[in-house]
Amino acid sequence: MVLRLDAKTLLSAMSLKDLFKNLDDVNSVLPELIPADELNLKELDWISWYLSAPQFSSVRVNTIAFSPDSVVDQLSEQLEKIATLFNKEPPKVFVHHLLPDCVIISPWKEANLTRRNKEVIVDKFCGLAVLRGSPVFAPGVKGMQSDVREGTEVSVFADASNRCKRGFLREFVDNSKTFVGNGVVKMDRYRLFNEKELPYGIAVEITDTESKVCGVELPENLGILQNLPSIVCGHVLGVNAEDNLTVLDMCAAPGNKATHLATLMKNKGLIIALDKTKKKTHKINKLCAQLGIQNIRTFAFDSRKSIDRFREGVNLSDGPPYTPECFDRVLLDAPCSGLGQRPVFDFDLTQKEIESFPLVQKHLFSVAVQHVRVGGFLVYSTCSITHAENEGLVKWALEKFPQIRLVPAEPIIGKSRTVESGLSEEESKMIQKFGPPSDCTPDTDTIGFFIAKFKKVESVQHP
């Protein structure tokens, strides 16, 4: 079955099996997705949650160069100009009540979603970005009618099933196209589809999105748009500028969390950021240059192999592998199924693939425990909502490593869980999880995410 965000009547006919279309036995996955204390949650609520974008946007301010209040002023002025231009009420912009470096942008109260006579077709990923407030960048455009010119008002549709060929010049008649918003064309066909040049820049300026999410332009060094739970994750690790901390980010690309830690540390101490390829570490270095970060050292290295118990005279800046217990803090934002990401048009992961992630996560966690000094802290996070990748891993970790203790993942903004995951009620209150069901507030209308924090109290003994 084809999923269309604007077809409200279609939602009631969907099942989770339509969304997780490649799963042979969706019933075997449902217990993993729906917590025991929420089994009365309707399938429709889950589908609507996955298909809709979080309405609030969050900007993680680069506090090395800007104050949050100054960012609020800049963004408010920008949105007031847009509101005046399109005769709208400007959205509210404010500093988060618990996260002093996080600025929240409210959604538009109304949106003009009347279909335009002309259309632009974009790829699936561009469509999802539009629903999160992004303009249409040139590489994402797949089709544009031949008579569309710069300045034309258009409706933007995402090619959810990847059936539109690049350069298509007529109206795209296909049930899979999904309306994402209206906008004004900024780039004509020749610039978009001239094979001699790769397109770049904004192709369509979005005026109204189906999600009502506000789009803003951020000066390069002001900060980055970052999901609120990811910003929470940086604060949970508990870094500062005073203690000259050594920090390891084991799966660091594209660098959003690592650069957040660097700003919290005010460029003091040392952060080692690892990821498996040079292409990924290049992204981290690029973001560091953009934000003026100076205390991060990146290495293209497989974190699963980053411990060497017999290496002597290790200088952290020389790169991995490292001897055990070199780091005051370790962040393991683990590879995961991504079953907390939203919006989505569909999931193509199979059950077998979903079940493979906990094995990788346990391997990485075993290495992470060795990296932390006694008295130091380890934060584990995922953008998934399955028990096996989250509560199940915490339960496994506490049984596998008596040398660590679960501690409160403060500031706790996500909900604590009391599901049948093997954790005690006290332990369940220490973790935090973001996800459905949610109401329309900045703290609850987010992507799905999980955070747990551990303190190492003894050395891990090896044979």
Side-chain angles (χ1 to χ4, degrees), residues 286-305:
K286 184 177 180 180
L287 186 59
C288 287
Q290 173 185 322
L291 298 175
I293 302 302
Q294 301 170 358
N295 64 336
I296 292 179
R297 303 291 178 268
T298 62
F299 298 96
F301 202 88
D302 186 342
S303 287
R304 293 173 296 180
K305 304 174 182 177

Side-chain angles (χ1 to χ4, degrees), residues 267-284:
N267 269 332
K268 303 292 178 61
L270 175 65
I271 299 172
I272 300 296
L274 305 183
D275 221 300
K276 291 178 69 173
T277 66
K278 289 185 177 180
K279 183 178 181 180
K280 289 186 173 183
T281 56
H282 175 71
K283 290 182 179 180
I284 304 171

Side-chain angles (χ1 to χ4, degrees), residues 93-396:
V93 183
F94 54 93
V95 178
H96 189 274
H97 63 107
L98 289 178
L99 307 175
D101 57 356
C102 175
V103 169
I104 301 295
I105 306 171
S106 301
W108 295 105
K109 286 190 175 181
E110 66 276 334
N112 183 354
L113 302 178
T114 303
R115 302 297 192 273
R116 306 301 189 243
N117 293 327
K118 301 299 178 182
E119 70 176 29
V120 170
I121 305 299
V122 300
D123 65 40
K124 176 168 66 175
F125 302 104
C126 180
L128 295 174
V130 169
L131 291 172
R132 293 300 303 267
S134 172
V136 172
F137 289 97
V141 178
K142 298 184 75 174
M144 177 185 287
Q145 290 155 283
S146 59
D147 56 348
V148 171
R149 300 288 183 268
E150 186 175 343
T152 302
E153 293 187 357
V154 294
S155 288
V156 179
F157 293 85
D159 179 22
S161 296
N162 196 31
R163 292 176 180 152
C164 181
K165 294 184 179 179
R166 179 172 166 75
F168 195 76
L169 47 70
R170 297 185 298 277
E171 180 182 357
F172 184 56
V173 181
D174 191 286
N175 287 336
S176 71
K177 74 179 185 182
T178 303
F179 175 70
V180 294
N182 292 325
V184 179
V185 172
K186 297 295 183 182
M187 197 176 294
D188 61 27
R189 282 189 57 85
Y190 178 80
R191 290 177 63 192
L192 285 169
F193 302 118
N194 179 8
E195 295 182 357
K196 296 180 182 179
E197 299 178 10
L198 291 174
Y200 64 93
I202 295 176
V204 181
E205 193 72 67
I206 298 297
T207 57
D208 299 272
T209 63
E210 199 275 343
S211 61
K212 297 183 181 178
V213 173
C214 286
V216 293
E217 292 184 25
L218 298 179
E220 191 172 70
N221 62 339
L222 181 148
I224 62 171
L225 286 164
Q226 189 172 5
N227 289 309
L228 183 129
S230 296
I231 300 174
V232 174
C233 194
H235 285 280
V236 169
L237 194 58
V239 297
N240 58 62
E242 289 74 39
D243 294 336
N244 197 35
L245 297 170
T246 56
V247 179
L248 174 64
D249 186 347
M250 294 179 65
C251 305
N256 294 348
K257 294 181 181 67
T259 53
H260 185 201
L261 299 175
T263 58
L264 292 172
M265 295 165 65
K266 299 180 181 178
N267 269 332
K268 303 292 178 61
L270 175 65
I271 299 172
I272 300 296
L274 305 183
D275 221 300
K276 291 178 69 173
T277 66
K278 289 185 177 180
K279 183 178 181 180
K280 289 186 173 183
T281 56
H282 175 71
K283 290 182 179 180
I284 304 171
N285 291 333
K286 184 177 180 180
L287 186 59
C288 287
Q290 173 185 322
L291 298 175
I293 302 302
Q294 301 170 358
N295 64 336
I296 292 179
R297 303 291 178 268
T298 62
F299 298 96
F301 202 88
D302 186 342
S303 287
R304 293 173 296 180
K305 304 174 182 177
S306 57
I307 284 284
D308 183 349
R309 295 193 299 274
F310 306 105
R311 188 177 178 186
E312 297 180 359
V314 177
N315 183 330
L316 296 184
S317 294
D318 290 340
Y322 299 115
T323 53
E325 301 184 348
C326 285
F327 294 93
D328 302 302
R329 306 283 190 274
V330 173
L331 173 61
L332 175 54
D333 185 46
C336 68
S337 64
L339 288 175
Q341 294 290 358
R342 57 189 286 247
V344 293
F345 296 135
D346 55 47
F347 285 104
D348 56 7
L349 288 176
T350 64
Q351 180 183 338
K352 184 177 180 181
E353 288 172 324
I354 292 173
E355 291 173 348
S356 71
F357 284 102
L359 299 176
V360 176
Q361 292 155 355
K362 289 175 182 178
H363 190 163
L364 285 165
F365 193 95
S366 298
V367 176
V369 170
Q370 297 178 64
H371 277 302
V372 185
R373 288 193 176 110
V374 174
F377 295 92
L378 161 62
V379 166
Y380 172 82
S381 64
T382 74
C383 57
S384 175
I385 56 175
T386 72
H387 291 171
E389 297 177 88
N390 298 319
E391 295 96 336
L393 184 132
V394 171
K395 181 177 182 295
W396 167 85

